[in-house]
Amino acid sequence: QKAAQNLKPIVPIKFYISSRTDTGVHALCNSAHLDIQRAPGKPAFNEKQLIYSLNYHLRPEPIRILNAYRVANSFHARFSALSRTYVYRLLMGCSHHSEIPVFERDLCWAPVGGHLNVPAMQDAAQFLLGTHDFSTFRSLNSETPFRSPIRTILQVDIRPSSGFLSHHYEHRRLEFWELKFRSRSFLYRQVRRMVGALVAVGQGKLAPHHIKELLEIKDSRAFPPNAMAPPSGLFLKSVEY
C-alpha cells in the first residue's frame, strides 16, 4: 500500500489480498486487487506502467509484482478465487538440522529420523480428498466460531522434487519431496496440520487409517500433540480464478 501511494492517487489505495499466510510461510505467487483513481485529466495506468512503478518502490522489500490485469468492478481477489494451491517442501536424509543445506534454510522442513515411508503417506493422503469436516485439522483462533469447518480438498499429491542447487550436493543423499494441496479455501493452519499428520504416518507414528479416524473425531484437541508442520516449508503456489 505504501508503494502504491507513490503513484499519487487522489483517493488512498487499499489492497485486498487473496490469501493471508502465517508468519514464516512463503508465497511463490499471491494476488491482490486495488482501485487507483488518478487526478482529472490524467490517463489510467496501463499494466506495464503499474508493474514497473510498483516494483520500483518495492526494491527494498522481499516482494515483486509479476503481472497486472484490468478487471471488472465486480472482481474481488479473495472472494472470486476458484481455488488456492499450496506446496509443502520436505527434506529427507538429514539426521540433524545442521545437515540442511544453508541455501535451503527456512525453505523446507527436515523431520527428524531421516527417511519417511512415502507410500504410506500417499495412502493416508487419499482420506483427505473430497468434502469433509476438518475440525481436527484446524487450529483455533478468533474466527473459529464464525467459519464452517467443512472444506473440499480437490487435490493432494506427494512427489519427489529438486531442491535449490540440489545437483551440487547429490552425494549427500538428500531427497526433496513436495506435498501439494488444492482447495477453494483452507482453515487456519489446516495445511500445516495435514502435512504434520502425513509425516507422522511416514514416521510410523500413525497408520494411514488414523487420518480417517482423525477426520471423523471432528475435534481440534484430538490432533496429535506437537505434530503440526513448521511454517518454513509452506508456500502459497498460486490462486486460480
Side-chain angles (χ1 to χ4, degrees), residues 19 21 24-31 62-64 66 86 234-238:
S19 297
T21 55
V25 174
H26 316 283
L28 295 169
C29 190
N30 205 339
S31 54
I63 182 171
R64 293 294 176 269
L66 303 177
Y86 280 87
L234 184 57
F235 296 75
L236 173 62
K237 183 182 180 185
S238 58

Side-chain angles (χ1 to χ4, degrees), residues 175-192:
E175 285 181 21
F176 287 90
W177 289 76
E178 284 186 1
L179 286 72
K180 182 193 286 186
F181 301 87
R182 184 164 63 89
S183 174
R184 182 160 187 212
S185 63
F186 294 91
L187 298 166
Y188 181 51
R189 293 182 175 169
Q190 181 185 348
V191 176
R192 289 172 57 193

Side-chain angles (χ1 to χ4, degrees), residues 59 138 141 214:
R59 282 177 301 174
R138 70 168 168 189
N141 68 358
L214 286 171

